[in-house]
Amino acid sequence: MTQPKRLGTADGFELQFGTNHIGHFALTAQLLPLLRKSPDTRVVTVSSIANREGTINFDDLQSESSYVPGKAYSQSKLANLMFALELQRQSDRHGWGIVSMAAHPGVSRTNLLINGAGRWSFPGIMRTFLPFLFQPQAQGALPTLYAATSPEAKGGLYYGPNKMSETRGFPTIAKMPLQAEDVSVAEKLWEISQKLANVEFK
């Protein structure tokens, strides 16, 4: 998350886009034959409230021309959410029987900010010296657990905490960023991601 300098994965992807989106996209594609055989299959993709600021920049997906840490992170987390929604549409279209949804943890008390942006970055300082602003890790896990296990959770939806602009609280249906609902962008991202990851959903 938000490394100060642009880093790459072993496969040559920008680290945040490769780790947060392409890796999960590829894993899901490779698991698809097993997922299709299993009854009541759910795929839960973890996004972030940072997706609210995200855009999918097809002209510079890998942040090669310009790397802005937070912008690259927000794009990767928007890609997570769009993948979850498109996976549900693809499942419905092809009869895969997969229920796909997304979740986000709000703002949780982990070391993600410290390990990414750095302890002395602005978010790192807030995490270190103002821990009360962050909810406990277990609380942050609840929306994902709800999406994965609750009989009430539905495919094509997005879950997050219910208080303080979804930064803390208990699981509820989260507000969907408008850009995440752009089906044409989601379809294009799906096709490009298959090529980048060298996988095919079938």
Side-chain angles (χ1 to χ4, degrees):
M1 178 183 182
T2 62
Q3 292 79 16
K5 294 182 179 180
R6 185 189 183 280
L7 300 173
T9 68
D11 295 312
F13 303 117
E14 186 276 317
L15 186 62
Q16 296 179 93
F17 189 75
T19 302
N20 296 341
H21 172 60
I22 295 295
H24 295 84
F25 184 93
L27 175 63
T28 307
Q30 292 169 1
L31 289 174
L32 187 64
L34 290 175
L35 296 174
R36 291 176 61 185
K37 291 179 182 178
S38 302
D40 303 318
T41 297
R42 293 189 195 192
V43 174
V44 180
T45 304
V46 181
S47 188
S48 165
I49 56 175
N51 64 29
R52 297 170 182 173
E53 307 302 319
T55 57
I56 304 298
N57 183 1
F58 290 114
D59 293 328
D60 193 22
L61 270 180
Q62 305 297 328
S63 302
E64 293 171 307
S65 298
S66 173
Y67 176 71
V68 179
K71 190 174 180 180
Y73 181 73
S74 294
Q75 175 183 249
S76 74
K77 287 291 149 182
L78 177 60
N80 287 151
L81 179 53
M82 297 185 85
F83 166 59
L85 301 177
E86 184 61 23
L87 179 60
Q88 184 63 62
R89 289 189 287 265
Q90 294 283 337
S91 177
D92 292 343
R93 185 177 304 141
H94 299 292
W96 293 338
I98 294 171
V99 174
S100 173
M101 60 197 84
H104 76 81
V107 179
S108 301
R109 201 177 298 138
T110 70
N111 287 331
L112 185 61
L113 288 170
I114 294 171
N115 291 336
R119 181 175 296 278
W120 304 116
S121 65
F122 178 71
I125 290 170
M126 290 183 65
R127 167 64 185 87
T128 300
F129 296 106
L130 302 172
F132 58 87
L133 295 177
F134 301 79
Q135 66 178 348
Q137 296 171 20
Q139 191 82 22
L142 289 181
T144 303
L145 292 172
Y146 179 88
T149 64
S150 173
E152 304 300 318
K154 306 297 181 187
L157 294 182
Y158 178 38
Y159 296 94
N162 65 347
K163 294 181 180 178
M164 294 181 67
S165 298
E166 300 180 17
T167 60
R168 61 184 63 233
F170 291 91
T172 190
I173 296 175
K175 184 178 179 180
M176 191 78 69
L178 286 177
Q179 63 269 37
E181 298 179 332
D182 191 324
V183 175
S184 63
V185 171
E187 290 175 346
K188 184 175 180 179
L189 179 63
W190 179 276
E191 293 303 320
I192 289 174
S193 297
Q194 287 192 116
K195 293 176 182 176
L196 290 173
N198 194 27
V199 295
E200 187 175 354
F201 281 76
K202 60 181 180 179

